[in-house]
Amino acid sequence: MASYTPNLNLYKKDPIADGNDFFNIKTMMNDNWDKIDEKVKAALDDIGDLQSEQVRIATGSYEGTGTYGASNPCSLTF
């Protein structure tokens, strides 16, 4: 009996139960290739979106004065 893969919902034939069935190119190949192509395109689009936003990372350091509390305010400027 045929089944489907859990992630991409690709069509899978069972070689034992379906071994005498005719090979249907549309169902057994083309539909699966279309699903794979669609998912890869979506993933590539997501990667492109991340790259186009040009994420920036700022680094720095801070050395405290050893004082704290309301009477000893501290500030960080970026």
Side-chain angles (χ1 to χ4, degrees):
M1 180 173 163
S3 62
Y4 293 88
T5 62
N7 297 307
L8 296 179
N9 199 36
L10 302 177
Y11 185 73
K12 290 174 48 174
K13 282 290 207 174
D14 180 334
I16 295 174
D18 305 320
N20 292 326
D21 289 356
F22 287 101
F23 187 82
N24 182 320
I25 289 177
K26 181 184 179 333
T27 304
M28 298 179 193
M29 289 188 69
N30 292 350
D31 290 348
N32 283 343
W33 286 118
D34 290 341
K35 289 175 186 178
I36 292 168
D37 188 65
E38 179 183 324
K39 295 295 184 178
V40 168
K41 172 74 168 92
L44 291 173
D45 287 347
D46 289 346
I47 291 169
D49 290 345
L50 290 174
Q51 289 175 341
S52 67
E53 292 178 18
Q54 298 180 1
V55 175
R56 296 182 194 161
I57 298 174
T59 62
S61 63
Y62 172 76
E63 186 174 319
T65 62
T67 60
Y68 59 91
S71 61
N72 296 295
C74 296
S75 66
L76 298 175
T77 304
F78 293 93

